[in-house]
Amino acid sequence: MTSRSTTVLRPRLGATVALALAGALAAGCGGGSASDDTASTSPSPSTSGSSSTGASASPSTSPSGSATTPSSDGGPQIDVSACVRQKADSLSEEQAIGQLVMVAFDTAASRTALDGLIADEHVGNVIYLGGWDGAARVKETSAHLQDQATQAATAGIPLLLAADQEGGEVRQLRGEGFTKVPSAKAQAQMSPSALTAAAKGWAGELKAVGINVNLAPVTDTVPTDIGRNNEPIGKYARQYGSDPATVTKASTAFLKGMIEGGVMGTVKHFPGLGRVEKNTDFNTSGITDSVATPKDPFLAPFSAGVKAGAGLVMVSSARYPGLDATKTQAMFSKPIITDLLRGRLGYEGVVITDDINAKAVRSIPAAERATRYIEAGGDILLTGDAASVPGMIDALGAKARADEEFANQLETSVLRVVALKERMGLISCG
């Protein structure tokens, strides 16, 4: 691709995009810097079945220092700080698109395995997968990864380094330096204050090794009559409970602890995997929730997580005909991401896919997966398949150059990601 600034990437539109990101994203232009960084026992190597992060400043849960900075050249009008606008506008096309990709780093890979993708494809985010043993190894790897976030690669913007550290069977980080976090079901037996305190301690362990995003807590509700027959969640006791009130209380307490401990939390798997039969990582059937509607009480834990300050919402690859009559998988559904999550629930932050290489969506060419996701209103593409990254990035760039509306959507996503990194203290404009 020809290098170009995001100003060139986003052609002028007659009607600009109007978004209010202050509540979920805004924070002062912090002076933080890059930090020093499902499990082998988890049910799956990706984030829906094993579901799938340390900033120098603790993530903020409230607006602070935001500023409306309209683009002078017709790009999206977004309520973000001048720092975010400045950082985003300094990115080349490739660097901007790279901020929208999170690629898996398998425990069996060499420490330099992702260096080329970060340098050549400008990938801006990494997730640890496969079960990483020992804090010392993770800390060294995280430091190495952040060293790759050079001016040439990412315009000096540090990486989101993520892990699935839910507890129970889903713990990507284990061994010396990492607490054996109990399952969500066990966590739900704790008082909210005790769980928040415990989660703050667990976050400290992540932050100490350079992880700045935890792809947790799970906010799916698994009904009692389904229980362990729910393959992605219930089978592994990943749910906090069988009713939305229990899930809301415990997941919010966990989320608050993560944020207080300096690690950004994620609610998942929107709009819920608790009623599906099969795991989307491995199946194309048995992945439909035919009960969910826009008034579904099972949406309450997601809404509560958003209000509690979750910096990311992970969207599933299941189908929800009551939310999208076309039965489009959630990660490609505008009615689910844009209308329901961003509109009805008021979420203004970063939306990340469950593994976009899952079997549930793999029949769709990788390039089309990437463009359809951005069109639906999503932001970060999480992939367990590093080989798919160049093609997805090329497709996003090509479509942005050919389609003005898509170019604006793409830049809006970049602004959301950069704003999240500012909120987390990863970037500074001093």
Side-chain angles (χ1 to χ4, degrees), residues 61-156:
T61 60
S62 62
S64 168
S66 64
T68 303
T69 54
S71 170
S72 61
D73 61 1
Q77 311 286 312
I78 300 182
D79 192 11
V80 295
S81 73
C83 176
V84 170
R85 181 72 64 180
Q86 174 187 331
K87 286 291 185 181
D89 282 351
S90 73
L91 299 171
S92 69
E93 175 186 304
E94 296 93 333
Q95 290 170 338
I97 295 173
Q99 290 295 312
L100 306 182
V101 176
M102 179 178 284
V103 64
F105 197 173
D106 189 83
T107 186
S110 70
R111 184 173 296 174
T112 60
L114 297 183
D115 290 9
L117 277 180
I118 297 172
D120 301 334
E121 301 297 335
H122 311 281
V123 167
N125 312 288
V126 171
I127 175 175
Y128 287 90
L129 287 180
W132 288 70
D133 243 336
R137 181 184 178 219
V138 177
K139 183 175 181 177
E140 291 171 0
T141 303
S142 295
H144 175 80
L145 288 169
Q146 293 293 14
D147 284 345
Q148 308 314 304
T150 62
Q151 191 65 34
T154 66

Coordinates of all heavy atoms in Angstrom, one line a residue, residues 61-156:
T61 N -12.1 5.6 34.9 CA -13.4 5.2 34.7 C -14.3 6.4 34.5 O -15.5 6.2 34.4 CB -14.0 4.3 35.8 OG1 -13.9 5.1 37.0 CG2 -13.2 3.1 36.0
S62 N -13.8 7.5 34.4 CA -14.6 8.7 34.3 C -14.0 9.7 33.3 O -12.8 9.7 33.2 CB -14.9 9.4 35.6 OG -13.7 9.8 36.2
P63 N -14.8 10.6 32.7 CA -14.2 11.5 31.8 C -13.3 12.5 32.5 O -13.5 12.9 33.6 CB -15.5 12.3 31.3 CG -16.6 11.4 31.5 CD -16.2 10.6 32.8
S64 N -12.2 12.8 31.8 CA -11.3 13.8 32.4 C -10.4 14.3 31.3 O -9.6 13.7 30.6 CB -10.4 13.1 33.4 OG -9.3 13.9 33.7
G65 N -10.6 15.6 31.0 CA -9.7 16.2 30.0 C -10.1 16.0 28.6 O -9.2 16.2 27.7
S66 N -11.3 15.6 28.3 CA -11.6 15.4 26.9 C -11.9 16.8 26.2 O -12.2 17.8 26.9 CB -12.9 14.6 26.8 OG -14.0 15.2 27.3
A67 N -11.8 16.8 24.9 CA -12.1 18.0 24.2 C -12.6 17.7 22.8 O -12.1 16.8 22.2 CB -10.8 18.9 24.1
T68 N -13.6 18.4 22.4 CA -14.1 18.2 21.1 C -13.2 18.9 20.1 O -12.9 20.1 20.2 CB -15.5 18.8 20.9 OG1 -16.4 18.3 21.9 CG2 -16.1 18.6 19.6
T69 N -12.6 18.1 19.2 CA -11.6 18.6 18.3 C -12.0 18.2 16.9 O -11.6 17.3 16.3 CB -10.3 18.0 18.6 OG1 -10.4 16.5 18.6 CG2 -9.8 18.4 20.0
P70 N -13.0 19.0 16.3 CA -13.4 18.7 15.0 C -12.3 18.7 14.0 O -11.4 19.5 14.0 CB -14.4 19.9 14.7 CG -14.8 20.4 16.0 CD -13.6 20.2 16.9
S71 N -12.3 17.7 13.1 CA -11.4 17.7 12.0 C -11.5 18.9 11.1 O -12.7 19.2 10.7 CB -11.5 16.4 11.2 OG -10.7 16.4 10.1
S72 N -10.4 19.4 10.7 CA -10.5 20.6 9.8 C -10.7 20.3 8.4 O -10.9 21.2 7.5 CB -9.2 21.4 10.0 OG -8.1 20.6 9.5
D73 N -10.7 19.0 8.0 CA -10.7 18.6 6.6 C -11.9 17.7 6.3 O -11.9 17.0 5.3 CB -9.4 18.0 6.2 CG -9.1 16.7 6.9 OD1 -10.0 16.3 7.8 OD2 -8.1 16.1 6.7
G74 N -13.0 17.8 7.1 CA -14.2 17.0 6.8 C -14.2 15.6 7.3 O -15.1 14.9 7.0
G75 N -13.2 15.2 8.1 CA -13.3 13.9 8.7 C -14.3 13.8 9.8 O -15.0 14.8 10.1
P76 N -14.3 12.7 10.5 CA -15.3 12.5 11.6 C -15.1 13.5 12.7 O -14.0 13.9 13.1 CB -15.0 11.1 12.1 CG -14.3 10.4 11.0 CD -13.5 11.5 10.3
Q77 N -16.3 14.0 13.2 CA -16.3 14.9 14.3 C -16.5 14.1 15.6 O -17.6 13.6 15.8 CB -17.5 15.9 14.1 CG -17.5 16.6 12.8 CD -16.4 17.7 12.6 OE1 -16.2 18.5 13.5 NE2 -15.7 17.6 11.5
I78 N -15.5 13.9 16.4 CA -15.5 13.0 17.5 C -15.1 13.7 18.7 O -14.1 14.5 18.7 CB -14.7 11.8 17.3 CG1 -15.2 11.0 16.0 CG2 -14.8 10.8 18.4 CD1 -14.4 9.8 15.7
D79 N -15.7 13.5 19.8 CA -15.4 14.2 21.1 C -14.2 13.4 21.7 O -14.4 12.5 22.6 CB -16.6 14.1 22.0 CG -16.5 15.1 23.2 OD1 -15.5 15.8 23.2 OD2 -17.3 15.0 24.1
V80 N -13.0 13.8 21.4 CA -11.8 13.2 21.9 C -10.9 14.3 22.2 O -11.1 15.5 21.8 CB -11.1 12.2 21.0 CG1 -12.0 11.0 20.8 CG2 -10.8 12.8 19.7
S81 N -9.8 14.0 23.0 CA -8.9 15.1 23.3 C -8.1 15.5 22.1 O -7.9 14.8 21.1 CB -7.9 14.6 24.4 OG -7.0 13.7 23.9
A82 N -7.5 16.7 22.2 CA -6.6 17.1 21.1 C -5.4 16.2 21.0 O -4.9 16.0 19.9 CB -6.1 18.5 21.5
C83 N -5.0 15.6 22.1 CA -3.9 14.6 22.0 C -4.2 13.4 21.1 O -3.4 13.0 20.3 CB -3.6 14.1 23.4 SG -2.3 12.8 23.5
V84 N -5.4 12.9 21.3 CA -5.9 11.8 20.5 C -5.9 12.1 19.0 O -5.5 11.4 18.1 CB -7.3 11.2 20.9 CG1 -7.8 10.2 20.0 CG2 -7.1 10.6 22.3
R85 N -6.5 13.3 18.7 CA -6.6 13.8 17.3 C -5.2 13.9 16.7 O -4.9 13.5 15.6 CB -7.4 15.1 17.3 CG -7.5 15.7 15.9 CD -8.5 14.9 15.1 NE -9.9 15.0 15.6 CZ -10.9 14.4 15.0 NH1 -10.8 13.7 14.0 NH2 -12.1 14.5 15.6
Q86 N -4.3 14.5 17.5 CA -2.9 14.7 17.0 C -2.3 13.4 16.7 O -1.6 13.2 15.7 CB -2.1 15.5 18.1 CG -0.7 15.6 17.8 CD 0.1 16.2 19.0 OE1 -0.5 17.0 19.8 NE2 1.4 15.9 19.1
K87 N -2.4 12.4 17.7 CA -1.7 11.1 17.4 C -2.3 10.4 16.2 O -1.6 9.8 15.4 CB -1.9 10.3 18.7 CG -1.0 10.7 19.8 CD 0.4 10.4 19.6 CE 1.3 10.7 20.8 NZ 2.7 10.4 20.5
A88 N -3.7 10.4 16.1 CA -4.3 9.7 15.0 C -3.9 10.4 13.7 O -3.7 9.7 12.7 CB -5.8 9.7 15.2
D89 N -3.9 11.7 13.6 CA -3.6 12.4 12.4 C -2.1 12.2 12.0 O -1.7 12.4 10.8 CB -3.9 13.9 12.5 CG -5.4 14.1 12.3 OD1 -6.1 13.2 12.0 OD2 -5.8 15.3 12.6
S90 N -1.2 11.8 12.9 CA 0.2 11.6 12.6 C 0.4 10.2 12.0 O 1.5 10.0 11.5 CB 1.0 11.7 13.9 OG 0.9 10.6 14.7
L91 N -0.6 9.3 12.0 CA -0.4 8.0 11.5 C -0.5 7.9 10.0 O -1.3 8.6 9.4 CB -1.5 7.1 12.1 CG -1.5 6.9 13.6 CD1 -2.8 6.1 14.0 CD2 -0.3 6.2 14.1
S92 N 0.4 7.1 9.4 CA 0.2 6.7 8.0 C -1.0 5.8 7.9 O -1.5 5.3 8.9 CB 1.5 6.0 7.5 OG 1.6 4.7 8.1
E93 N -1.4 5.6 6.6 CA -2.5 4.7 6.4 C -2.3 3.3 7.0 O -3.1 2.8 7.7 CB -2.8 4.5 4.9 CG -3.9 3.5 4.6 CD -4.1 3.3 3.1 OE1 -4.3 4.2 2.4 OE2 -3.9 2.1 2.7
E94 N -1.1 2.8 6.8 CA -0.8 1.5 7.3 C -0.7 1.4 8.8 O -1.2 0.5 9.4 CB 0.6 1.0 6.7 CG 0.6 0.8 5.2 CD 1.1 2.1 4.5 OE1 0.9 3.2 5.0 OE2 1.6 2.0 3.4
Q95 N -0.1 2.5 9.4 CA -0.1 2.5 10.9 C -1.5 2.7 11.5 O -1.8 2.1 12.5 CB 0.8 3.7 11.3 CG 2.3 3.5 11.0 CD 3.1 4.8 11.2 OE1 2.5 5.9 11.2 NE2 4.4 4.7 11.4
A96 N -2.3 3.4 10.8 CA -3.7 3.6 11.3 C -4.4 2.3 11.3 O -5.1 1.9 12.3 CB -4.4 4.7 10.5
I97 N -4.4 1.6 10.2 CA -5.1 0.3 10.1 C -4.5 -0.7 11.1 O -5.2 -1.5 11.7 CB -5.1 -0.2 8.7 CG1 -5.9 0.8 7.8 CG2 -5.6 -1.6 8.6 CD1 -5.8 0.5 6.3
G98 N -3.2 -0.7 11.3 CA -2.5 -1.6 12.2 C -3.0 -1.5 13.6 O -3.0 -2.5 14.4
Q99 N -3.5 -0.3 14.0 CA -4.1 -0.1 15.3 C -5.4 -0.9 15.5 O -5.8 -1.1 16.6 CB -4.4 1.4 15.6 CG -3.1 2.2 15.8 CD -2.3 1.9 17.0 OE1 -2.9 1.7 18.1 NE2 -1.0 1.7 16.8
L100 N -6.0 -1.4 14.4 CA -7.2 -2.1 14.5 C -7.0 -3.6 14.4 O -8.0 -4.4 14.2 CB -8.1 -1.7 13.3 CG -8.4 -0.2 13.2 CD1 -9.3 0.1 12.0 CD2 -8.9 0.4 14.5
V101 N -5.8 -4.1 14.6 CA -5.5 -5.5 14.6 C -4.9 -6.0 15.9 O -4.0 -5.3 16.4 CB -4.6 -5.9 13.4 CG1 -4.2 -7.3 13.4 CG2 -5.2 -5.5 12.1
M102 N -5.4 -7.1 16.4 CA -4.7 -7.7 17.6 C -4.4 -9.2 17.1 O -5.3 -9.9 16.7 CB -5.6 -7.8 18.8 CG -5.0 -8.5 20.0 SD -6.1 -8.4 21.5 CE -5.8 -6.7 22.0
V103 N -3.2 -9.6 17.2 CA -2.8 -10.9 16.7 C -2.3 -11.7 17.8 O -1.7 -11.3 18.8 CB -1.7 -10.7 15.6 CG1 -0.4 -10.1 16.2 CG2 -1.4 -12.1 15.0
A104 N -2.6 -13.0 17.8 CA -2.2 -14.0 18.8 C -0.7 -14.3 18.8 O -0.1 -14.4 17.8 CB -3.0 -15.3 18.7
F105 N -0.2 -14.4 20.0 CA 1.2 -14.8 20.2 C 1.1 -16.1 21.0 O 0.8 -16.1 22.2 CB 1.9 -13.7 21.0 CG 3.5 -13.8 20.9 CD1 4.3 -12.9 21.5 CD2 4.1 -14.9 20.3 CE1 5.6 -12.9 21.4 CE2 5.5 -15.0 20.2 CZ 6.2 -14.0 20.8
D106 N 1.5 -17.2 20.3 CA 1.4 -18.5 20.9 C 2.6 -18.8 21.8 O 3.7 -18.4 21.5 CB 1.3 -19.6 19.8 CG 0.9 -21.0 20.4 OD1 -0.2 -21.2 20.7 OD2 1.9 -21.7 20.7
T107 N 2.4 -19.5 22.9 CA 3.4 -19.8 23.8 C 4.6 -20.6 23.2 O 5.7 -20.5 23.7 CB 2.9 -20.5 25.1 OG1 3.9 -20.6 26.0 CG2 2.3 -21.9 24.7
A108 N 4.3 -21.3 22.2 CA 5.3 -22.2 21.5 C 6.2 -21.4 20.5 O 7.2 -21.9 20.1 CB 4.7 -23.4 20.9
A109 N 5.8 -20.2 20.2 CA 6.5 -19.4 19.2 C 7.7 -18.8 19.8 O 7.9 -18.6 21.0 CB 5.6 -18.3 18.6
S110 N 8.7 -18.4 18.9 CA 9.9 -17.7 19.4 C 9.6 -16.3 19.8 O 8.6 -15.8 19.3 CB 10.9 -17.7 18.2 OG 10.5 -16.9 17.2
R111 N 10.4 -15.7 20.6 CA 10.2 -14.4 21.1 C 10.0 -13.4 19.9 O 9.4 -12.3 20.0 CB 11.3 -13.9 22.0 CG 11.0 -12.6 22.7 CD 12.0 -12.3 23.7 NE 11.9 -13.2 24.8 CZ 12.7 -13.2 25.9 NH1 13.7 -12.4 25.9 NH2 12.5 -14.1 26.9
T112 N 10.7 -13.6 18.8 CA 10.7 -12.7 17.7 C 9.6 -13.0 16.6 O 9.6 -12.4 15.6 CB 12.1 -12.6 17.0 OG1 12.4 -14.0 16.5 CG2 13.2 -12.2 18.0
A113 N 8.7 -13.9 17.0 CA 7.8 -14.4 15.9 C 6.9 -13.3 15.4 O 6.5 -13.4 14.2 CB 6.9 -15.5 16.5
L114 N 6.6 -12.3 16.1 CA 5.7 -11.3 15.7 C 6.4 -10.0 15.2 O 5.7 -9.0 14.8 CB 4.6 -10.9 16.7 CG 3.7 -12.1 17.1 CD1 2.7 -11.5 18.2 CD2 3.0 -12.7 15.9
D115 N 7.7 -10.0 15.3 CA 8.5 -8.8 15.0 C 8.2 -8.3 13.6 O 8.0 -7.1 13.4 CB 10.0 -9.0 15.2 CG 10.4 -9.2 16.6 OD1 9.5 -9.3 17.5 OD2 11.6 -9.3 16.9
G116 N 8.1 -9.2 12.7 CA 7.9 -8.8 11.3 C 6.5 -8.2 11.1 O 6.3 -7.2 10.3
L117 N 5.5 -8.8 11.7 CA 4.1 -8.3 11.6 C 4.0 -6.8 12.1 O 3.3 -6.0 11.6 CB 3.1 -9.2 12.2 CG 2.6 -10.4 11.5 CD1 1.6 -11.2 12.3 CD2 2.0 -10.0 10.1
I118 N 4.7 -6.6 13.3 CA 4.6 -5.3 13.9 C 5.4 -4.3 13.0 O 4.9 -3.2 12.7 CB 5.2 -5.3 15.3 CG1 4.3 -6.2 16.2 CG2 5.2 -3.9 15.9 CD1 4.9 -6.5 17.5
A119 N 6.5 -4.7 12.5 CA 7.4 -3.8 11.7 C 6.8 -3.5 10.3 O 6.7 -2.4 9.8 CB 8.8 -4.3 11.6
D120 N 6.4 -4.6 9.6 CA 6.0 -4.5 8.2 C 4.5 -4.2 8.0 O 4.1 -3.6 7.1 CB 6.3 -5.8 7.5 CG 7.8 -6.1 7.5 OD1 8.6 -5.2 7.7 OD2 8.2 -7.3 7.5
E121 N 3.6 -4.8 8.9 CA 2.2 -4.6 8.8 C 1.7 -3.6 9.8 O 0.5 -3.3 9.9 CB 1.5 -6.0 9.0 CG 1.9 -7.0 7.9 CD 1.5 -6.6 6.5 OE1 0.6 -5.8 6.3 OE2 2.2 -7.1 5.6
H122 N 2.6 -3.1 10.7 CA 2.2 -2.1 11.7 C 1.2 -2.5 12.7 O 0.4 -1.7 13.1 CB 1.8 -0.8 10.9 CG 2.8 -0.4 9.9 ND1 4.0 0.2 10.2 CD2 2.8 -0.6 8.5 CE1 4.7 0.4 9.0 NE2 4.0 -0.1 8.0
V123 N 1.1 -3.8 13.0 CA 0.1 -4.3 13.9 C 0.3 -3.7 15.3 O 1.4 -3.6 15.8 CB 0.3 -5.9 14.1 CG1 -0.5 -6.4 15.3 CG2 -0.2 -6.5 12.8
G124 N -0.8 -3.2 15.9 CA -0.7 -2.4 17.1 C -1.1 -3.1 18.4 O -1.1 -2.4 19.4
N125 N -1.4 -4.4 18.3 CA -2.0 -5.0 19.5 C -1.7 -6.5 19.5 O -1.7 -7.1 18.4 CB -3.5 -4.8 19.7 CG -3.8 -3.4 19.5 OD1 -3.6 -2.5 20.3 ND2 -4.4 -3.1 18.3
V126 N -1.4 -7.2 20.6 CA -1.1 -8.6 20.7 C -1.8 -9.2 21.8 O -2.1 -8.6 22.9 CB 0.4 -8.7 20.9 CG1 0.8 -10.2 21.2 CG2 1.2 -8.2 19.7
I127 N -2.2 -10.5 21.6 CA -2.8 -11.3 22.7 C -2.0 -12.5 23.0 O -1.6 -13.2 22.0 CB -4.3 -11.7 22.4 CG1 -4.8 -12.6 23.5 CG2 -4.4 -12.3 21.0 CD1 -6.3 -12.9 23.4
Y128 N -1.7 -12.8 24.2 CA -1.1 -14.1 24.6 C -2.0 -15.2 24.6 O -3.1 -15.2 25.2 CB -0.5 -13.9 26.0 CG 0.7 -13.0 26.1 CD1 0.6 -11.7 26.3 CD2 2.0 -13.5 26.0 CE1 1.7 -10.8 26.5 CE2 3.1 -12.7 26.1 CZ 3.0 -11.4 26.3 OH 4.1 -10.6 26.4
L129 N -1.7 -16.3 23.9 CA -2.5 -17.5 23.9 C -1.7 -18.7 24.0 O -0.5 -18.7 23.7 CB -3.3 -17.6 22.6 CG -4.5 -16.6 22.4 CD1 -5.1 -16.9 21.0 CD2 -5.5 -16.7 23.5
G130 N -2.3 -19.8 24.5 CA -1.6 -21.1 24.5 C -1.1 -21.5 25.9 O -0.6 -22.6 26.0
G131 N -1.2 -20.6 26.9 CA -0.8 -21.0 28.2 C 0.7 -20.6 28.4 O 1.6 -21.4 28.1
W132 N 0.9 -19.5 29.0 CA 2.3 -19.0 29.2 C 2.7 -19.3 30.7 O 2.0 -18.9 31.6 CB 2.4 -17.5 28.9 CG 2.3 -17.2 27.5 CD1 1.2 -17.4 26.6 CD2 3.3 -16.7 26.6 NE1 1.5 -17.0 25.3 CE2 2.8 -16.6 25.3 CE3 4.7 -16.4 26.8 CZ2 3.6 -16.2 24.2 CZ3 5.4 -15.9 25.8 CH2 4.9 -15.8 24.5
D133 N 3.9 -19.8 30.8 CA 4.3 -20.2 32.2 C 5.4 -19.3 32.7 O 6.4 -19.0 32.1 CB 5.0 -21.6 32.1 CG 4.3 -22.7 32.9 OD1 3.6 -22.3 33.8 OD2 4.4 -23.8 32.6
G134 N 5.1 -18.8 33.9 CA 6.0 -18.0 34.7 C 6.1 -16.5 34.3 O 6.1 -16.1 33.2
A135 N 6.1 -15.7 35.4 CA 6.0 -14.2 35.2 C 7.3 -13.7 34.5 O 7.2 -12.8 33.7 CB 5.8 -13.6 36.6
A136 N 8.4 -14.3 34.8 CA 9.7 -13.7 34.2 C 9.7 -13.8 32.7 O 10.0 -12.9 32.0 CB 10.9 -14.5 34.8
R137 N 9.2 -15.0 32.2 CA 9.1 -15.1 30.8 C 8.2 -14.1 30.1 O 8.5 -13.5 29.1 CB 8.7 -16.6 30.4 CG 8.7 -16.8 28.9 CD 8.2 -18.2 28.6 NE 8.1 -18.3 27.1 CZ 7.2 -19.0 26.5 NH1 6.2 -19.6 27.2 NH2 7.1 -19.1 25.2
V138 N 7.0 -14.0 30.7 CA 6.0 -13.1 30.2 C 6.5 -11.6 30.2 O 6.3 -10.9 29.2 CB 4.7 -13.2 30.9 CG1 3.6 -12.2 30.4 CG2 4.1 -14.6 30.8
K139 N 7.1 -11.2 31.3 CA 7.6 -9.9 31.4 C 8.7 -9.6 30.4 O 8.7 -8.5 29.7 CB 8.2 -9.7 32.8 CG 8.7 -8.3 33.1 CD 9.2 -8.1 34.5 CE 9.7 -6.6 34.7 NZ 10.0 -6.4 36.2
E140 N 9.6 -10.5 30.1 CA 10.6 -10.3 29.1 C 10.0 -10.2 27.7 O 10.4 -9.4 26.9 CB 11.6 -11.5 29.2 CG 12.5 -11.5 30.4 CD 13.3 -12.7 30.5 OE1 13.2 -13.6 29.7 OE2 14.1 -12.9 31.5
T141 N 9.0 -11.1 27.5 CA 8.3 -11.1 26.2 C 7.6 -9.8 26.0 O 7.6 -9.2 24.9 CB 7.4 -12.2 26.0 OG1 8.1 -13.5 26.3 CG2 6.7 -12.3 24.7
S142 N 6.9 -9.3 27.0 CA 6.2 -8.0 26.9 C 7.1 -6.9 26.6 O 6.8 -6.0 25.8 CB 5.4 -7.8 28.2 OG 4.4 -8.7 28.4
A143 N 8.2 -6.8 27.3 CA 9.2 -5.8 27.0 C 9.7 -5.8 25.6 O 9.9 -4.8 24.9 CB 10.3 -5.9 28.0
H144 N 10.0 -7.0 25.1 CA 10.4 -7.2 23.7 C 9.3 -6.7 22.8 O 9.7 -6.0 21.8 CB 10.7 -8.6 23.4 CG 11.1 -8.9 22.0 ND1 12.4 -8.6 21.5 CD2 10.4 -9.3 21.0 CE1 12.4 -8.9 20.2 NE2 11.2 -9.3 19.9
L145 N 8.1 -7.1 23.0 CA 7.0 -6.6 22.1 C 6.9 -5.1 22.1 O 6.8 -4.5 21.0 CB 5.7 -7.3 22.5 CG 5.6 -8.8 22.2 CD1 4.3 -9.3 23.0 CD2 5.5 -9.0 20.7
Q146 N 6.9 -4.5 23.3 CA 6.8 -3.0 23.3 C 8.0 -2.4 22.6 O 7.8 -1.3 22.1 CB 6.6 -2.6 24.7 CG 5.3 -3.0 25.4 CD 4.1 -2.3 24.8 OE1 4.1 -1.7 23.7 NE2 2.9 -2.4 25.5
D147 N 9.1 -3.0 22.7 CA 10.3 -2.4 22.0 C 10.1 -2.4 20.5 O 10.7 -1.6 19.8 CB 11.6 -3.3 22.3 CG 12.1 -3.0 23.7 OD1 11.7 -2.0 24.3 OD2 12.9 -3.8 24.1
Q148 N 9.2 -3.2 20.0 CA 8.9 -3.2 18.5 C 8.0 -2.1 18.1 O 7.8 -1.8 16.9 CB 8.3 -4.6 18.1 CG 9.1 -5.8 18.6 CD 10.5 -5.7 18.3 OE1 11.0 -5.5 17.2 NE2 11.3 -5.9 19.4
A149 N 7.3 -1.5 19.1 CA 6.4 -0.4 18.8 C 7.2 0.9 18.5 O 7.1 1.9 19.3 CB 5.4 -0.2 19.9
T150 N 7.9 0.9 17.5 CA 8.8 2.0 17.2 C 8.1 3.1 16.4 O 6.9 3.0 16.0 CB 10.0 1.5 16.3 OG1 9.4 1.0 15.0 CG2 10.8 0.4 16.9
Q151 N 8.8 4.2 16.2 CA 8.2 5.3 15.4 C 7.8 4.8 14.0 O 6.8 5.2 13.5 CB 9.2 6.5 15.3 CG 8.6 7.8 14.8 CD 7.5 8.4 15.7 OE1 7.6 8.2 16.9 NE2 6.5 9.0 15.1
A152 N 8.7 4.0 13.4 CA 8.4 3.5 12.1 C 7.2 2.5 12.1 O 6.4 2.5 11.1 CB 9.6 2.9 11.5
A153 N 7.1 1.7 13.1 CA 6.1 0.7 13.1 C 4.7 1.2 13.5 O 3.8 0.9 12.8 CB 6.6 -0.5 14.0
T154 N 4.6 1.8 14.6 CA 3.3 2.2 15.2 C 3.3 3.7 15.5 O 2.4 4.1 16.3 CB 3.0 1.4 16.4 OG1 3.9 1.8 17.5 CG2 3.1 -0.1 16.2
A155 N 4.2 4.5 14.9 CA 4.3 5.9 15.3 C 4.6 6.1 16.8 O 4.3 7.1 17.4 CB 3.0 6.7 14.9
G156 N 5.3 5.1 17.3 CA 5.6 5.1 18.7 C 4.5 4.8 19.7 O 4.7 4.9 20.9

